[in-house]
Amino acid sequence: KHTGFTGWGVCFNNIKNVNIYNNLSYDIVYDGLKGSGTFENVNVYNNRCYDNGRDGFDFAGHSCKKLRVYNNSFYNNDIDGIEIKTLNRDTYPLPEGIVPVFQEIEIYNNILTDNHQSQINIANTNSDTITSYNILVKNNNIKTFENYDANKHGIRIASLLNGSSEDFIIEDNTMDTKGCAKGVRCISSKNMKIRNNKIVTRGACIE
């Protein structure tokens, strides 16, 4: 299916004070934009990633602080439009000297269309040891296939282990998610504000 090269369109590892912008990535076997390791004070903006074999933008790493993803267009990628997650410690042990955090993440003013799983997926796999806080998802324009899929979500927020997510704001998003089981799905979360979103879906608007 994907005729581009086997790899990532643009790949970043262990970066601080970096802007990632004006990139076009399509028809690649993996993610359009890929981040790993540690991110601190990173801006991802004005990128267009589509028809890729995995995510439009993916951060899968040990620690994430002050990440802003805005004014991008991610569509028809085989997994998620935007995915931000911490890595499983059993498979990817924490390198020596890193004190991991998962905080101050902002996703806003993006266009996300017909990505095949979640349009936005934020998952703190290590929530038993890292508490997530100050996460903003705002003013994104989201649309999905009308073919219903029980595993598909518009926005998915998950702290998957024993901890909880704190201080999340999901607001002012426009979501035409008729093919999704959930418009917004939040797992193991607290202190959340979900407000002023316009959601059309076949399943639950918010769960």
Side-chain angles (χ1 to χ4, degrees), residues 75-146:
Y75 56 94
N76 200 37
N77 296 288
D78 281 0
I79 303 183
D80 298 327
I82 297 171
E83 182 175 38
I84 301 170
K85 63 179 180 291
T86 55
L87 292 170
N88 183 287
R89 293 282 182 259
D90 293 333
T91 307
Y92 301 95
L94 185 68
E96 186 175 350
I98 293 179
V99 179
V101 297
F102 197 72
Q103 64 189 59
E104 298 174 72
I105 298 169
E106 299 181 3
I107 302 173
Y108 59 94
N109 294 351
N110 299 285
I111 298 173
L112 301 119
T113 306
D114 288 342
N115 299 289
H116 296 186
Q117 292 187 16
S118 296
Q119 305 308 299
I120 298 173
N121 185 14
I122 303 175
N124 182 3
T125 309
N126 302 289
S127 61
D128 56 337
T129 57
I130 308 173
T131 300
S132 311
Y133 64 93
N134 292 348
I135 311 295
L136 173 68
V137 180
K138 180 173 181 175
N139 200 36
N140 297 285
N141 193 321
I142 293 172
K143 186 174 181 179
T144 65
F145 293 119
E146 293 193 12

Side-chain angles (χ1 to χ4, degrees), residues 166-177:
E166 297 182 347
D167 304 319
F168 282 109
I169 298 176
I170 300 175
E171 65 181 4
D172 300 327
N173 299 285
T174 300
M175 305 171 61
D176 182 356
T177 52

